[in-house]
Amino acid sequence: MPEVVIAAPWPLRAGTDMNNSKCPPVKKFPTEGERYQRLRALQEKFTLEFSHNPQFYVRAPGRVNLIGEHVDYCGYAVFPMAVEQDILIALATNDMGKLNVHNIDKDYPDFFCNVNNFEIHREQPAWFNYVLCGVRGIMDEGGIEGPLVGMDMLVGGNIPPSSGLSSSSALVCAAALAVAHAHGISLTKEKLAEICAHCETHIGTQGGGMDQAISFLATEDTAKVIEFNPLRSTSVTLPPGATFVVGNSLAPMNKAANSSFNCRVMECRLATQIMAQKAGLAWKMYQKLGDLQKVLGKSLPQMMTLVTDTFEARPYGKDEICELLRTTPEELDQITLSENTRHIQEFKLHDRALHVFSEAHRVWQFKRVCDEQNDTALEELGRLMLDSHRSTQLLYECSHPKLDTLVELSQGVSLGARLTGAGWGGCMVALVEEKSTEAYKKMLQDRYYSQEPAAQGRDMNSILFSSRPGSGACIFVE
Ligand code: ADP
Ligand code: NG1
């Protein structure tokens, strides 16, 4: 049953329009289906725990990235689509100035604080810190005048956490949208995405904005090419006859809990700065490979050549990097490195930069194949996905043996497969001909999941599933 978009019942600021398609839509509470059941369960639990009714609900989806991995924070376009799985939040304001955050899943403990005075913890962040990021984002950049009003929130989510499907960003996006709506603030999807990309960095990871962008900008049945600076999205229709199957390797990775993710961001930053220095530019002004490319006016293949001309395929010591940049380790810590990467003594510059430029190139090749839709489109897309996997595995070193196993098993049975999201565990995505989907899933069930201890007794539909492109974040009212 289609979801009905209705007028906003909430007092909005003068001049705002919640039903402007530029803003997340306000929809009528569904009357049936799985989402209805989940919203109803949220409402009942909310009333039980807070002794009053929710005033509204928000939904923000997770995503699967089809191609373009670890390039968003270098300024390059990505190619994700939203999945059906999402984070839901029920919210009502309170007049005690308190932020109460509960979860329907009691493995996530309750939390409360003063809504206008809290800290966000970076080390092994507890789940509610992602909610706090969303609150902080609207507080700092949402245009609210005066202090925030107290809020009771109940969260319920079904995106597998730490699996590369962006559960953390969906939680940040849902929280930000809920806080904005509770304060009668209407923001465009782009503005919300930008706020959420900034505020999730309070958690300590230096991601690039793909997850927050697709969570707000997704539209049903299309994948999106998302470009940054300025943020813009283009719908792309995927060629008919194939479907994307997501398989969770069941090796979890929380990117905020160690420095691997930020180390990659820093390796790209260092490669940018050394190439800028060699080109006679003021290296301190450059952070992203994409910005450097623009200034140098070179194509992506030319940038790949520049990488191989500039760097050797080996790790570079911090002292050697300082010599190349004519700086001190102290200044490098200050200008370039994040708090949790200052202890790292060796950085791989050649391999990381080569991955980024080749992957950024593959995104546009992928889009061209989708646009042209010729007879060999599906095979070409599959090949690009496999090339992308090899690059993340060998050059970016962010795969995991279990992901590699899934990708190898998929060869020949799918058109192509690759890890999706940050990697180091989590999910792979495979392009599979529609007629072979069931046989493909059965093959993975027999050859991978039946031997995977973490899969035993689990609902396989949440571990191995086909996904059609879903819609973006919205607000539900009864
Ligand atoms: P992902 O790739 O899924 O974004 P992260 O490791 O970055 O993985 O973030 C996962 C974290 O997000 C979890 O450890 C948890 O703190 C939070 N999270 C995800 N889903 C939920 C949920 N349904 N309820 C509460 N917290 C959640
Ligand atoms: P996930 O899979 O959600 O951890 C992370 C980053 C993205 C992007 C991908 C790799 C965050 C919030 N997300 O995604 O921006 O860089 O890795 O392509 O940091």
Side-chain angles (χ1 to χ4, degrees), residues 87 103 108 125-127 130 155-169 171 200 253-256:
I87 297 282
N103 200 300
Y108 296 111
W127 76 279
Y130 295 94
V155 176
N158 62 1
I159 309 167
S162 300
S163 302
L165 301 182
S166 276
S167 66
S168 59
S169 301
L171 184 51
E200 193 167 340
M253 193 274 185
N254 184 314
K255 66 182 177 307

Side-chain angles (χ1 to χ4, degrees), residues 379-390:
E379 286 74 18
E380 286 180 55
L381 295 182
R383 184 184 50 74
L384 287 166
M385 288 174 70
L386 192 58
D387 290 349
S388 166
H389 183 75
R390 294 273 175 263

